[in-house]
Amino acid sequence: QVHLVESGGGLVQAGGSLRLSCSASGSSLSTNHIAWYRQAPGKQRELVAIINNDGKTKYADAVKDRFTISRDDAKNTVYLQLNSLKSEDTALYLCKSIAIVDGFSFQYWGQGTQVTVSS
């Protein structure tokens, strides 16, 4: 079982930056795909970015060219760099680990870290 802990959120002014971390314990993340999601009050949870176990990345259109996902398997941590933040980026940011074993998908979520962008 994978235990995920997000950190790095906070209050920042529009145009500012934050770096979120998703640290894992209990299992190595190196063979897993890791995704960042966000959920704003009253809205559905949405996928922000994903990094595969081979390092390939994909981003939601709303964050492309502003956010960067990366992984450090030696530290068992995945990062999300948030630049040029906008008020609409305000949300709870959560990471998810996805492991595919013998055709079965095992998914684990963290508790999230709050990002608040003031305009």
Side-chain angles (χ1 to χ4, degrees):
Q1 186 161 351
V2 178
H3 179 61
L4 301 173
V5 177
E6 301 93 334
S7 61
L11 174 63
V12 63
Q13 288 189 331
S17 299
L18 286 172
R19 188 176 82 155
L20 308 184
S21 299
C22 172
S23 298
S25 61
S27 180
S28 171
L29 292 182
S30 63
T31 58
N32 295 2
H33 312 308
I34 307 298
W36 281 97
Y37 285 75
R38 68 185 180 186
Q39 188 163 20
K43 294 189 177 181
Q44 286 191 330
R45 189 171 293 185
E46 61 175 351
L47 177 65
V48 174
I50 187 167
I51 185 164
N52 288 349
N53 54 11
D54 60 2
K56 292 181 181 177
T57 60
K58 287 187 179 180
Y59 298 90
D61 288 342
V63 306
K64 205 172 291 183
D65 300 325
R66 298 190 298 122
F67 292 6
T68 303
I69 190 170
S70 61
R71 63 192 302 156
D72 185 338
D73 290 336
K75 294 183 177 180
N76 223 23
T77 299
V78 172
Y79 304 98
L80 186 67
Q81 179 68 40
L82 287 60
N83 296 329
S84 303
L85 282 161
K86 307 175 181 179
S87 58
E88 52 262 42
D89 295 319
T90 295
L92 181 69
Y93 284 71
L94 307 102
C95 64
K96 181 172 76 171
S97 168
I98 307 160
I100 309 296
V101 180
D102 294 332
F104 290 93
S105 174
F106 296 87
Q107 302 183 9
Y108 300 94
W109 289 91
Q111 293 298 309
T113 185
Q114 178 67 37
V115 171
T116 303
V117 184
S118 63
S119 56

